[in-house]
């Protein structure tokens, strides 16, 4: 018998996130072995009048392909999958990988080919031309990363994925207004003193439409405006490698110095292309029920009291002109239990130690979003 929470989540994805309509073609992209959500999605897509199409992914087989790939091979894969993506009206990715490090030993030059000649091509079509949503799906591997039992992680997962997104959406409006009226942002914290402009760029609400779980408002810095130092206090897995203690120094928008536990690999990623050393996104995380990192970006970037500052490609809906095969959301948590920190908009303190301090933004604090 299917867990009723799976059906509820499938309905949320189909009716709220993707807004599937009659005749829509919906690609269900499944990573991992658990298929109960995919089966529930097929049912819900049919009930909405759409046509479900399922694609199965296997990271071990992807690794085997990437180890000996070349430009011609990546271009062939991209053409094949791009043609399919162009047929789609909606897209949902269910990511429940068993091993987040499966691609860790793929050589950097092969990962660069994959990022530039495959991922960027297919990703841009999906992001810009479908109604899409991406989510993780609970499995023992994810529970291990979170430091919990599998059952406890599943309870956590369904709680954070089904928060009151309508309430959250409304509470985000004042933050959108402030961001769109702000010229200069300053961020201070342990190992961090950063300034940049967001003048003239839109602010985008994320309340369950594109990611599940959700809870962030993002914009982008003016490309050449970023100056100062940023030290991230959460680890991040990217291209199969775990990075810790990431520290960037910026001059006129560019990352001029980058260090971490894997400094050489970090700089190879940042040298993927010219845009990888510039920032494509600045976002504030506000999900009231996500408190601690678990090496999973879709959860970590929504942590309440956090922000992420993203090397690489800007989104089309908030375009600062930066182009890259890279888009790497790296998170800093500013709550007091993580060392604290401050965010200023045009000199006004708007968030301290992870809590909004100004009255119009206080509805976004966790105790208010929970109701």
């Amino acid at each position: 018998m299917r867990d009723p929470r799976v059906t509820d989540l499938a309905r949320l994805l189909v009716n709220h996130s993707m807004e599937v309509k009659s005749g829509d073609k919906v690609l269900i992209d499944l990573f991992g072995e658990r298929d109960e959500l995919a089966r529930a999605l097929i049912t819900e897509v049919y009930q909405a009048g759409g046509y479900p199409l399922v694609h199965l992914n296997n990271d071990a087989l992807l690794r085997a392909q990437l180890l000996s790939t070349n430009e011609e091979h990546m271009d062939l894969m991209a053409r094949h999958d791009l043609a399919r993506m162009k047929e789609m009206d909606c897209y949902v990715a269910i990511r429940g990988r068993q091993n987040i490090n499966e691609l860790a030993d793929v050589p950097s030059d092969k990962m660069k080919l994959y990022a530039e000649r495959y991922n960027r091509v297919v990703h841009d079509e999906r992001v810009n031309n479908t109604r899409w949503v991406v989510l993780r799906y609970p499995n023992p591997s994810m529970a291990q990363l979170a430091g919990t039992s599998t059952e406890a992680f599943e309870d956590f997962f369904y709680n954070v994925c089904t928060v009151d997104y309508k309430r959250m959406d409304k509470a985000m409006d004042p933050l959108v207004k402030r961001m769109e009226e702000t010229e200069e942002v300053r961020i201070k914290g342990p190992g961090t003193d950063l300034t940049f402009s967001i003048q003239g760029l839109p602010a985008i609400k994320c309340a369950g439409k594109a990611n599940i779980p959700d809870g962030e408002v993002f914009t982008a810095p003016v490309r050449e405006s970023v100056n100062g130092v940023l030290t991230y206090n959460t680890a991040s897995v990217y291209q199969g490698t775990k990075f810790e203690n990431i520290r960037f120094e910026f001059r006129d928008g560019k990352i001029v110095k980058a260090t971490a536990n894997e400094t050489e690999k970090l700089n190879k990623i940042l040298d993927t292309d010219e845009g990888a050393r510039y920032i494509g996104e600045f976002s504030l995380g506000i999900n009231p029920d996500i408190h601690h990192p678990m090496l999973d970006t879709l959860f970590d970037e929504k942590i309440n009291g956090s922000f992420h500052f993203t090397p690489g490609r800007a989104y089309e809906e908030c375009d600062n002109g930066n182009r890259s095969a890279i888009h790497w959301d790296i998170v800093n948590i500013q709550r007091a239990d993580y060392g604290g920190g401050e965010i200023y908009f045009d000199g006004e303190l708007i968030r301290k130690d992870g809590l909004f301090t100004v009255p119009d933004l206080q509805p976004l604090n966790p105790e208010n979003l929970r109701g």
Side-chain angles (χ1 to χ4, degrees):
M1 182 176 179
R2 181 184 296 162
D3 187 332
R5 298 177 300 182
V6 176
T7 300
D8 291 342
L9 179 57
R11 287 174 181 162
L12 175 73
L13 295 168
V14 169
N15 299 315
H16 174 75
S17 301
M18 294 184 290
E19 297 181 345
V20 176
K21 305 180 185 67
S22 180
D24 279 346
K25 297 178 285 294
V26 182
L27 180 59
I28 301 169
D29 213 7
L30 178 61
F31 299 76
E33 298 174 357
R34 295 186 61 178
D35 66 359
E36 59 266 34
L37 179 58
R39 286 185 279 114
L41 281 166
I42 290 169
T43 299
E44 296 300 324
V45 168
Y46 275 135
Q47 289 185 359
Y51 300 110
L53 297 97
V54 179
H55 179 236
L56 304 179
N57 297 270
N58 183 299
D59 281 344
L61 297 180
L62 175 61
R63 173 185 174 275
Q65 293 176 86
L66 293 180
L67 287 173
S68 299
T69 196
N70 55 32
E71 291 185 1
E72 183 179 2
H73 178 226
M74 285 294 95
D75 289 345
L76 174 64
M77 284 181 58
R79 286 197 305 272
H80 175 81
D81 287 353
L82 178 62
R84 176 178 55 197
M85 194 68 74
K86 285 183 174 180
E87 290 274 344
M88 298 299 117
D89 301 290
C90 304
Y91 171 93
V92 53
I94 308 167
R95 297 175 178 171
R97 290 181 166 95
Q98 300 299 315
N99 180 5
I100 63 172
N101 298 312
E102 190 65 54
L103 305 181
D105 58 352
V106 176
S108 296
D109 61 325
K110 304 298 186 183
M111 289 304 303
K112 182 177 179 179
L113 281 177
Y114 181 60
E116 288 184 332
R117 307 188 81 94
Y118 176 85
N119 259 353
R120 178 161 57 180
V121 172
V122 180
H123 175 276
D124 284 356
E125 175 65 26
R126 185 260 293 178
V127 168
N128 297 325
N129 295 307
T130 71
R131 301 191 300 279
W132 60 272
V133 61
V134 175
L135 73 156
R136 299 295 190 253
Y137 198 66
N139 62 28
S141 176
M142 293 178 68
Q144 186 175 36
L145 289 173
T148 71
S149 68
T150 302
E151 183 178 353
F153 183 77
E154 287 183 351
D155 291 340
F156 161 77
F157 172 83
Y158 288 110
N159 284 338
V160 301
C161 287
T162 56
V163 299
D164 187 344
Y165 287 119
K166 290 184 179 179
R167 182 191 188 102
M168 179 187 288
D169 185 275
K170 183 178 180 180
M172 286 174 169
D173 287 335
L175 179 56
V176 169
K177 184 175 186 293
R178 277 185 175 266
M179 293 175 83
E180 292 185 340
E181 292 175 350
T182 293
E183 179 176 349
E184 184 183 80
V185 177
R186 185 175 186 183
I187 302 177
K188 298 181 68 177
T192 295
D193 194 346
L194 194 68
T195 60
F196 54 94
S197 173
I198 56 174
Q199 186 175 28
L201 287 152
I204 311 298
K205 297 187 293 185
C206 299
K209 289 292 186 180
N211 289 163
I212 296 291
D214 216 346
E216 64 173 295
V217 178
F218 76 88
T219 184
V222 175
R223 189 176 183 268
E224 284 80 27
S225 71
V226 186
N227 285 284
V229 179
L230 171 56
T231 303
Y232 297 94
N233 61 6
T234 69
S236 179
V237 174
Y238 198 73
Q239 294 185 356
T241 296
K242 180 181 178 181
F243 294 90
E244 298 177 285
N245 304 313
I246 298 171
R247 182 181 184 273
F248 292 153
E249 294 182 17
F250 294 88
R251 186 181 306 126
D252 297 331
K254 185 177 182 179
I255 300 170
V256 295
K257 184 177 181 181
T259 59
N261 63 315
E262 296 275 1
T263 294
E264 183 178 355
K265 280 192 173 184
L266 173 65
N267 280 279
K268 283 183 178 179
I269 291 171
L270 296 176
D271 289 335
T272 297
D273 49 41
E274 192 261 349
R277 285 188 179 267
Y278 290 82
I279 298 298
E281 180 186 355
F282 162 59
S283 184
L284 299 178
I286 61 155
N287 190 298
D289 294 315
I290 306 179
H291 307 296
H292 305 292
M294 51 169 285
L295 290 178
D296 192 305
T297 299
L298 280 182
F299 287 83
D300 295 354
E301 68 180 359
K302 314 305 188 324
I303 291 170
N304 62 81
S306 75
F307 70 88
H308 52 276
F309 209 59
T310 305
R313 177 180 59 252
Y315 286 118
E316 187 174 90
E317 58 197 317
C318 183
D319 190 359
N320 69 351
N322 200 39
R323 300 289 180 268
S324 178
I326 299 302
H327 183 93
W328 185 2
D329 295 316
I330 315 175
V331 176
N332 185 292
I333 305 170
Q334 290 193 303
R335 297 198 316 267
D337 52 328
Y338 281 86
E342 301 166 352
I343 296 180
Y344 297 84
F345 285 179
D346 290 332
E348 180 182 10
L349 179 67
I350 63 105
R351 199 174 77 174
K352 180 177 175 61
D353 295 345
L355 294 174
F356 291 101
T357 57
V358 290
D360 59 315
L361 301 185
Q362 288 176 351
L364 290 171
N365 288 333
E367 65 274 15
N368 297 321
L369 278 181
R370 289 193 194 98

